[in-house]
Amino acid sequence: MEKIEEEAVDQLLGKIVENKQIILKGYIEGIPKESDMELIIGKKLNLEKVPKGSNGLLVKNLYLSCDPFMRGRMRDFTGSYLPPFVPGEVIEGFGVSKVLDSDNPDFKPGDIISGFTGWEEYSLIYNTEQLRKIQADDMPLSYHVGLLGMPGFTAYAGFYEVCTPKRGDYVFVSAASGAVGQLVGQLAKLHGCYVVGCAGTKQKVDILKSKLGFDGAFNYKEEADLDKALKRHFPEGIDIYFDNVGGSILDAALLNMRIHGRIAICGMVSQQSLSNPQGIHNLFQLINKRVKMQGFLQSDYLHLFPRFLEDVTSLYKQRNITYLEDMNEGLESGPSAFVGLFSGRNMGKQVIRVAHH
């Protein structure tokens, strides 16, 4: 099998190929639009061997991940944990790629890797420290930008390390059918918690209850009063709120926290596209109820990644968890897929398949 892989790679090397790319046209305000990005045919790429001494890799991109944090890199702002994209240059994000050539002793042609790569068909990667080699097994490769990648690890680290759950806790998850929320809810159920999620369509609410095992779910768009909706689902209050959205849902959750409750601030998808994000009105509840509210990044917990990979792979193979994935075909579908995140068009983790491996 390895010999066939090497022969296929050798046939590509030395060829001059067109390299389709998605670029950011300019910094943006507000909700991203497809027209903020552009599909171009980049400079013809000579798939020659990687320059000696560069420690780099030449890869063929197979899957690309659409993640809300990328919106933050589309503005001219340098005070975040990642630098902004450069207008006119290729967008980058998490992906799964096949190594075509390597000047790095840790990787060889034919290896499948995950990590940051360009939104393009072929990429030269010189920052190889953040790459992870994917071991061959029967898990779908695309899961390494979802269930077994950054979103899955965000759910795992956020729930176990930030939320410090106890059996019997009352858990609320926003954006519960998304890439992170769907796993948080399932891990909470396996931990013996009572779990309610919110989402933005009836179909998503039904899936939370029928496929993902949530005890309850509601469509926040149909609730005139979010505080009342939470009191209906949590008459005794909330121990853990895993927040993916911020805004009015966070404000309502603050009113319903129990004493010594925990709030994990994972994302602010309702606020990320606003030039003037709305404020939070109910922060006094943190004092009143002695609530711990903590923001976090999955990169703070990378020492736990091997354990996460083992635990979640085992849970999936034993059918104790499931994972929803929304797959778009072709690099050209990237802008539409990304923009759809901000209107809730995706059902589960949004992935772009660039090529079949």
Side-chain angles (χ1 to χ4, degrees):
M1 182 69 180
E2 280 192 14
K3 187 169 180 9
I4 295 172
E5 289 276 1
E6 288 171 11
E7 286 174 358
V9 168
D10 286 342
Q11 286 171 8
L12 274 173
L13 288 176
K15 286 188 174 181
I16 295 177
V17 297
E18 290 185 335
N19 191 25
K20 291 180 184 174
Q21 301 172 317
I22 303 289
I23 63 165
L24 178 69
K25 290 162 72 173
Y27 291 126
I28 70 172
E29 293 284 337
I31 296 171
K33 306 182 297 294
E34 289 183 48
S35 58
D36 295 325
M37 295 159 274
E38 185 179 1
L39 175 70
I40 66 167
I41 305 296
K43 291 179 182 175
K44 288 196 172 180
L45 189 66
N46 192 343
L47 297 184
E48 292 291 352
K49 291 190 175 293
V50 177
K52 290 291 179 191
S54 69
N55 206 45
L57 304 177
L58 172 66
V59 303
K60 178 182 180 181
N61 294 314
L62 305 177
Y63 298 97
L64 298 173
S65 177
C66 291
D67 297 296
F69 80 85
M70 297 166 65
R71 163 63 184 88
R73 303 188 69 187
M74 293 180 165
R75 56 186 178 147
D76 190 8
F77 177 71
T78 57
S80 185
Y81 59 95
L82 285 172
F85 294 136
V86 178
E89 293 193 8
V90 177
I91 289 170
E92 68 171 12
F94 287 103
V96 172
S97 313
K98 176 187 279 189
V99 177
L100 299 181
D101 191 46
S102 170
D103 186 54
N104 186 308
D106 295 330
F107 302 95
K108 66 180 189 300
D111 282 348
I112 304 294
I113 60 170
S114 66
F116 270 117
T117 189
W119 274 36
E120 55 189 346
E121 292 178 299
Y122 300 93
S123 294
L124 279 166
I125 301 175
Y126 294 109
N127 178 17
T128 57
E129 290 180 4
Q130 48 85 31
L131 299 176
R132 180 174 61 86
K133 193 185 300 185
I134 296 173
Q135 303 302 323
D137 63 10
D138 53 357
M139 298 291 284
L141 282 182
S142 59
Y143 278 19
H144 289 274
V145 293
L147 178 65
L148 303 177
M150 181 275 290
F153 187 51
T154 298
Y156 183 92
F159 181 64
Y160 290 120
E161 300 300 309
V162 180
C163 297
T164 57
K166 301 186 296 293
R167 185 176 180 83
D169 276 347
Y170 295 99
V171 177
F172 175 47
V173 185
S174 55
S177 67
V180 175
Q182 59 174 303
L183 183 57
V184 172
Q186 292 179 91
L187 292 176
K189 283 300 300 175
L190 290 169
H191 202 76
C193 301
Y194 174 83
V195 185
V196 174
C198 70
T201 69
K202 180 182 183 302
Q203 183 187 14
K204 290 179 181 180
V205 167
D206 290 345
I207 282 175
L208 289 176
K209 293 186 286 188
S210 64
K211 285 193 176 179
L212 299 177
F214 282 57
D215 295 292
F218 64 92
N219 181 349
Y220 69 91
K221 293 178 181 176
E222 294 180 349
E223 299 291 344
D225 188 325
L226 290 168
D227 176 36
K228 286 182 179 176
L230 289 176
K231 283 181 167 57
R232 189 169 73 242
H233 286 280
F234 294 100
E236 297 182 52
I238 300 167
D239 292 296
I240 291 171
Y241 172 39
F242 198 101
D243 182 26
N244 291 303
V245 300
S248 58
I249 297 179
L250 171 58
D251 235 357
L254 282 164
L255 292 174
N256 288 275
M257 298 303 295
R258 301 179 82 186
I259 291 173
H260 299 303
R262 287 84 73 203
I263 301 175
I265 303 293
C266 176
M268 292 269 167
V269 75
S270 74
Q271 305 297 299
Q272 279 171 315
S273 297
L274 302 180
S275 298
N276 296 301
Q278 68 189 81
I280 299 298
H281 303 283
N282 299 319
L283 287 176
F284 180 74
Q285 297 299 322
L286 298 181
I287 304 168
N288 193 30
K289 301 283 183 64
R290 285 84 85 197
V291 172
K292 173 186 168 186
M293 183 163 74
Q294 180 182 339
F296 73 100
L297 296 175
Q298 53 88 26
S299 53
D300 297 337
Y301 301 95
L302 287 177
H303 60 286
L304 300 176
F305 195 87
R307 191 179 84 194
F308 149 74
L309 211 55
E310 185 177 336
D311 287 352
V312 173
T313 299
S314 175
L315 287 171
Y316 182 81
K317 288 184 174 179
Q318 292 166 13
R319 300 189 176 181
N320 288 320
I321 57 172
T322 187
Y323 200 66
L324 305 177
E325 189 178 60
D326 195 330
M327 184 75 72
N328 278 39
E329 292 289 341
L331 182 65
E332 61 278 2
S333 71
S336 172
F338 177 71
V339 167
L341 293 177
F342 299 89
S343 62
R345 195 169 64 217
N346 57 303
M347 177 67 74
K349 169 63 194 164
Q350 184 67 68
V351 182
I352 304 157
R353 183 172 9 227
V354 181
H356 293 264
H357 62 283

